[in-house]
Amino acid sequence: MKPTHIEHLGIAVKSLELAIPYYEKVLGLTCYAVEEVPEQKVKTAFFKVGQTKIELLESTDPEGPVGKFLEKKGEGVHHIAFAVDGLQSKLDLAAERGVALIDKTPRKGAEGLNIAFLHPKSTFGVLTELCEDPNK
Ligand code: CMX
């Protein structure tokens, strides 16, 4: 698949309000966007570290993916997102190689990216997101 870089790391937190000050006041990063993604039942906060972002994820519904993750595993790293070119062809390639796809075709994610998830049961326990910037 040859990802170009790690686009972001998704970190599940109980509260953006409580977590953001750690990233700003201790790590010295700047929260440059807070965005609700209703389809994913999350509210997100973004920070940049070089070319990579940190995406904090607060659940807006206990039955959503992050709500269930927090209930089962608690706060922590929720997913890794790789930037790729030609997202649909990379999804087809993953399926050909036996990886279970959560999304067979790309959909819209935060920040206007086209995204698709690979199932953590196929990726050694790490929920994996592939992202493509449609404006690149
Ligand atoms: N990382 C690793 N494993 C995970 C996981 C994660 N983030 N989320 C769930 N799992 C594991 C669970 O621990 C569970 O494992 P066991 O069967 O061993 O107990 C298994 O997957 C099933 O978990 P579940 O709680 O029953 O949840 P579902 O099967 O309903 O859904 C998943 C799991 C990954 C398919 C679903 O969370 C999903 O579709 N995720 C993709 C979308 C998403 O995560 N959106 C939020 C972020 C959006 C954004 O970045 O904007």
Side-chain angles (χ1 to χ4, degrees):
M1 282 198 209
K2 296 212 167 36
T4 53
H5 59 284
I6 295 176
E7 211 284 331
H8 65 267
L9 288 174
I11 298 176
V13 297
K14 288 182 195 151
S15 155
L16 291 184
E17 197 189 333
L18 292 179
I20 286 171
Y22 163 72
Y23 286 86
E24 293 203 313
K25 295 195 166 58
V26 181
L27 289 178
L29 303 173
T30 302
C31 176
Y32 68 89
V34 172
E35 182 185 345
E36 184 158 350
V37 188
E39 315 83 66
Q40 296 293 319
K41 302 182 165 75
V42 289
K43 209 163 127 192
T44 62
F46 284 95
F47 306 82
K48 280 196 184 117
V49 188
Q51 205 181 354
T52 300
K53 297 162 195 158
I54 301 284
E55 178 188 35
L56 299 184
L57 297 157
E58 177 188 291
S59 174
T60 56
D61 180 342
E63 290 308 313
V66 173
K68 284 166 86 176
F69 179 89
L70 283 167
E71 176 65 28
K72 271 196 179 163
K73 302 198 188 209
E75 292 179 304
V77 176
H78 177 263
H79 65 269
I80 183 168
F82 294 110
V84 297
D85 296 321
L87 178 53
Q88 183 63 65
S89 68
K90 301 296 162 71
L91 284 175
D92 296 342
L93 179 82
E96 268 167 44
R97 305 268 157 101
V99 174
L101 307 182
I102 294 173
D103 302 297
K104 291 190 174 54
T105 54
R107 57 189 159 105
K108 280 281 169 221
E111 299 203 299
L113 297 178
N114 294 330
I115 64 161
F117 283 92
L118 310 180
H119 202 286
K121 294 288 177 199
S122 283
T123 56
F124 300 88
V126 179
L127 176 62
T128 300
E129 180 178 347
L130 303 179
C131 311
E132 182 173 43
D133 183 347
N135 300 314
K136 212 178 101 183

